Amino acid sequence: MTQQMDRDVSSSAAADAPDGALINVIAVDRADLTEFDSWYSTEHFPERLAVSGFRTARRFVEHPDRGRQLAEFLSIYETDTVDTLTSAEYLAALNSPTPRTTAAVALFRENERTVGRLRHRRGVGRTGDVLLGRITCTPDGADAIVRNLVDVARSIIDDGVADGVTIYESDPVATSAKDDTAEGQAVGDRRQASENESTVSLFVIVERRGSLEPAPVDSFIDTVSALGSPARWSTYRLVSDQRATTPTTSREDS
C-alpha cells in the first residue's frame, strides 16, 4: 500500500477525479512508427483499459517535431488510485504480455515511466495540446513547490493561457512495481524519473484547447523555473484518446 498524500481539486465535480496516473515518455525509431502506432491504439490501450481501476488513456506525439531520428510520445493513463498500478490484476497483465506486446516494447529506444499521485487539478483537461513539466525536488520541499504551482495554475487559467493544469507527485514504490514483470523485462530501454531517496518528481501537465501559444508557455516556464528546482519541459499534441467502457466508479468528466 502506497502512502496517502493530501491533494487539492478545484471543484466538487473534480472530487471524484482519478487519484493515480501512469506517465510514460517513449521514443522509437521512425522506421518503427507504423507498428508502434497500430499496437498502441488497437491492442495496448484496450488491454490496459480492461484492467480494473483504469479510467482513461491518452497518447500524444512531440509537437513541434524536433527532427530527431527518434519520435517521442507521451502517454497518460488515469487510474482510480495509485494502488491500481500495483494491483494483482495489473501485475498479472504485465506478466502475461502477448507476443506482439513483447515485440513492441522491445522497440522502445528511450523510455521514462513514472507512477504519480494526484496533488492538484484545476480547470478542464483532456484537450489537444499539452505542456509536460518534470520538476525534481526534495520530499520536504514538495509541498511548498506544489502550493506555488497551484497559484501559477490559477493565474494562467484565469488569464486564458491554459484550460487545465494537473500536478502529480511521483511514487517510487508503485513506479518500480513493473520492473520484475515479463513486460518490464522486455522493454528495450527502461528509465524512471531521476530520483533517489532524497528526491521526488513533480509532473505538471498544462492543457489548452487547440494549440498552446509559445509566448505564454515560455512565460509559464520562466515563472516555474524561478521557484529554483530543476525542471525539464516538453510539448505534445494529442494522437489517441480512449476511455474504459465500464467505469469502475461513478464519475463526471473533468
Side-chain angles (χ1 to χ4, degrees):
M1 183 73 68
T2 50
Q3 182 180 0
Q4 185 67 29
M5 236 182 279
D6 289 340
R7 67 173 186 163
D8 172 37
V9 292
S10 60
S11 70
S12 59
D16 188 39
D19 190 62
L22 171 59
I23 302 166
N24 212 353
V25 179
I26 302 169
V28 297
D29 287 324
R30 293 180 186 271
D32 296 323
L33 282 178
T34 299
E35 171 57 16
F36 177 79
D37 282 338
S38 175
W39 165 76
Y40 227 115
S41 294
T42 64
E43 179 172 306
H44 188 62
F45 269 3
E47 284 185 344
R48 287 295 177 264
L49 290 170
V51 174
S52 300
F54 273 76
R55 296 195 186 185
T56 66
R58 288 185 294 166
R59 188 162 62 97
F60 302 81
V61 65
E62 60 181 351
H63 179 78
D65 192 321
R66 287 178 284 167
R68 297 196 300 157
Q69 179 180 348
L70 302 178
E72 184 173 288
F73 294 85
L74 164 68
S75 294
I76 304 172
Y77 307 78
E78 295 176 317
T79 62
D80 285 346
T81 68
V82 169
D83 293 324
T84 298
L85 295 156
T86 60
S87 68
E89 182 181 356
Y90 177 58
L91 294 178
L94 293 177
N95 269 314
S96 55
T98 67
R100 190 182 186 192
T101 291
T102 300
V105 298
L107 300 176
F108 297 1
R109 296 295 172 255
E110 295 174 359
N111 181 207
E112 183 178 345
R113 175 187 179 276
T114 306
V115 172
R117 187 185 301 276
L118 181 67
R119 293 297 306 269
H120 174 78
R121 173 170 304 202
R122 176 173 292 276
V124 179
R126 311 194 66 77
T127 54
D129 279 14
V130 300
L131 168 69
L132 173 68
R134 290 165 274 186
I135 302 170
T136 302
C137 60
T138 64
D140 290 343
D143 286 347
I145 292 176
V146 169
R147 285 194 295 271
N148 285 323
L149 289 171
V150 169
D151 289 339
V152 177
R154 182 181 298 110
S155 174
I156 65 173
I157 291 173
D158 290 347
D159 291 344
V161 172
D163 294 307
V165 178
T166 309
I167 303 168
Y168 296 99
E169 181 170 337
S170 62
D171 185 315
V173 174
T175 298
S176 64
K178 179 180 178 178
D179 290 352
D180 294 328
T181 66
E183 185 174 320
Q185 293 296 313
V187 171
D189 178 291
R190 288 184 299 162
R191 304 179 189 179
Q192 294 173 189
S194 300
E195 59 184 51
N196 49 47
E197 292 182 356
S198 63
T199 63
V200 296
S201 294
L202 298 173
F203 287 76
V204 184
I205 300 169
V206 179
E207 309 194 37
R208 188 173 190 273
R209 291 188 181 89
S211 299
L212 289 165
E213 298 176 6
V217 165
D218 290 343
S219 178
F220 173 81
I221 291 172
D222 290 343
T223 301
V224 174
S225 297
L227 301 177
S229 293
R232 293 175 292 146
W233 302 93
S234 303
T235 53
Y236 303 89
R237 176 155 290 175
L238 185 67
V239 172
S240 180
D241 182 350
Q242 299 183 28
R243 297 171 182 255
T245 55
T246 306
T248 56
T249 57
S250 175
R251 63 185 184 274
E252 297 181 45
D253 292 343
S254 58

